[in-house]
Amino acid sequence: QLVTPHPSYLDCIIYPSFRDRAIELSAANKLDHWDLFSDIINDGLVCWGSANKTGMENGVPWSMRSWEARPWFLKKWWFLAGGEDEEVWQSSRWWWSMRGEDVGVDEILFKECREV
């Protein structure tokens, strides 16, 4: 991130591995910046405030725990999001569980395969 030239909006992505992959693809001219930027600002990545006293007490934008990637965003940008053990998946699953949603990686990435 410090030595590779890249668009500044990538610096605002809170997830280090996601951001690093995006910067690598950007340097190789293999990232559609408008598409990614558009998806981010159109609720692909959402920063939440406090959820409740048993979870997020002080939601802040500089904490990964304050952020959620929407399932459609993870499906579209899977090659940046990485595997289910990555921080983007962990924080998103936490928010899903806070809302009582049972969303799994297989459901997001492979739903269409099961429907065919």
Side-chain angles (χ1 to χ4, degrees):
Q1 178 179 354
L2 297 176
V3 297
T4 306
H6 59 277
S8 59
Y9 83 94
L10 294 177
D11 295 330
C12 297
I13 297 172
I14 191 72
Y15 305 110
S17 57
F18 188 105
R19 182 179 57 245
D20 291 345
R21 288 183 191 104
I23 291 170
E24 288 174 20
L25 288 176
S26 175
N29 291 320
K30 294 183 178 182
L31 183 64
D32 184 337
H33 289 288
W34 176 250
D35 198 25
L36 177 58
F37 180 75
S38 178
D39 284 349
I40 289 171
I41 65 171
N42 286 300
D43 287 337
L45 292 177
V46 179
C47 184
W48 297 105
S50 297
N52 62 38
K53 296 202 186 256
T54 62
M56 286 295 297
E57 294 176 3
N58 296 307
V60 292
W62 53 87
S63 170
M64 279 189 278
R65 190 73 163 205
S66 298
W67 289 86
E68 172 191 357
R70 301 293 195 179
W72 65 265
F73 183 85
L74 289 170
K75 182 175 184 173
K76 182 174 181 179
W77 299 101
W78 62 269
F79 53 95
L80 297 177
E84 64 181 300
D85 292 330
E86 298 280 345
E87 55 272 327
V88 64
W89 288 96
Q90 292 174 0
S91 67
S92 298
R93 276 195 307 263
W94 186 85
W95 283 105
W96 300 334
S97 71
M98 292 298 292
R99 292 191 301 266
E101 299 171 5
D102 184 22
V103 182
V105 176
D106 289 342
E107 183 178 349
I108 293 169
L109 297 180
F110 305 110
K111 184 178 180 183
E112 292 168 354
C113 296
R114 291 192 304 249
E115 292 175 353
V116 174

